[in-house]
Amino acid sequence: MSIFIRIWFFFGLIILLGLWFMSYTFNQQVKPNVRQVVEDTLAENANIIAMLVAEDVHDNRVNTVQFDEKIQQALNRKLNATIWQHNKKEINQQIYITDAKGIVIYDSQGIATGQDYSKWNDVYLTLQGKYGVRSTRSYDLKGNDLGSSNSTMFIAAPIYYQVNQQQQLIGVVSIGKPNSSVQPYIQRSENQLFRQAAWIALLSLFLASLVAYWL
């Protein structure tokens, strides 16, 4: 084996290993960073909705047809937003509301009403005066785990109502968003990272060849 091949292989191996490590480390940060932004947005939305529905919860209007229609119209609102070259057309969120004991009194999907959610992390922590958050994996009809990309993140906020000049905790509102709804943004970042890494790798190997030839 010629000295040129040995030097080129040595430099190329070091460059490719360093590039792979940097790309892998950066790629591992993409998903957590995107989900942190989603969590931040859900926390704000949950607290806003908690303020808006406080009077309805206090007056026992959340189980009425009018309240459900209002929520469904908001969740089914059509969008036409181009976000980072991704065309977003619909809202991917769900809402459920519990009373002060953690019993679901409203569910936008209509499947959890009446169930005890007091042990679920988002509701339990919120009722304890803490920050309530949980991530629940999704399963198919056969009970197979669909993976973390198909899980749903839930962020909860306390519902307060002023009674006798005092803020009284009367329930919890929790907003869920499937992680699959942000997968297009993650995939776009990964594809862009792969293309850039490929070009840098080719350029690095070419420069390694020049250095090897010069030596």
Side-chain angles (χ1 to χ4, degrees), residues 49-50 52-72 95-99 103-108 113 159 170-173:
I49 294 177
L52 296 177
V53 302
E55 188 172 351
D56 291 317
V57 174
H58 179 265
D59 296 338
N60 297 320
R61 292 199 299 261
V62 297
N63 56 356
T64 62
V65 176
Q66 293 79 6
F67 182 85
D68 182 60
E69 288 180 349
K70 181 169 58 176
I71 297 296
Q72 295 302 329
I95 300 172
Y96 65 80
I97 302 173
T98 74
D99 59 16
I103 305 300
V104 179
I105 57 178
Y106 177 79
D107 177 22
S108 62
T113 304
I159 302 174
I170 61 174
V172 173
V173 60

Side-chain angles (χ1 to χ4, degrees), residues 31-43 92-96 122 131-138 148-156 174-182:
K31 292 181 180 179
N33 288 341
V34 171
R35 289 170 183 169
Q36 286 173 6
V37 174
V38 172
E39 181 177 347
D40 178 83
T41 303
L42 288 178
N92 302 109
Q93 294 187 22
Q94 64 183 86
I95 300 172
Y96 65 80
D122 53 338
Y131 173 57
V133 57
R134 71 177 168 96
S135 183
T136 302
R137 289 179 176 269
S138 301
S148 59
S149 61
N150 288 282
S151 61
T152 301
M153 180 187 299
F154 290 91
I155 306 296
S174 186
I175 302 180
K177 185 176 183 64
N179 288 322
S180 59
S181 64
V182 299

Side-chain angles (χ1 to χ4, degrees), residues 106-122:
Y106 177 79
D107 177 22
S108 62
Q109 293 186 335
I111 58 177
T113 304
Q115 297 184 23
D116 185 359
Y117 272 28
S118 61
K119 300 302 182 182
W120 288 105
N121 219 34
D122 53 338

Side-chain angles (χ1 to χ4, degrees), residues 160-198:
Y160 292 106
Y161 191 80
Q162 188 168 348
V163 179
N164 297 328
Q165 297 183 349
Q166 291 184 350
Q167 293 289 336
Q168 181 180 348
L169 178 63
I170 61 174
V172 173
V173 60
S174 186
I175 302 180
K177 185 176 183 64
N179 288 322
S180 59
S181 64
V182 299
Q183 188 61 32
Y185 307 104
I186 297 176
Q187 189 64 47
R188 179 179 178 274
S189 298
E190 291 178 345
N191 293 339
Q192 186 175 6
L193 176 63
F194 177 78
R195 289 193 296 269
Q196 292 177 348

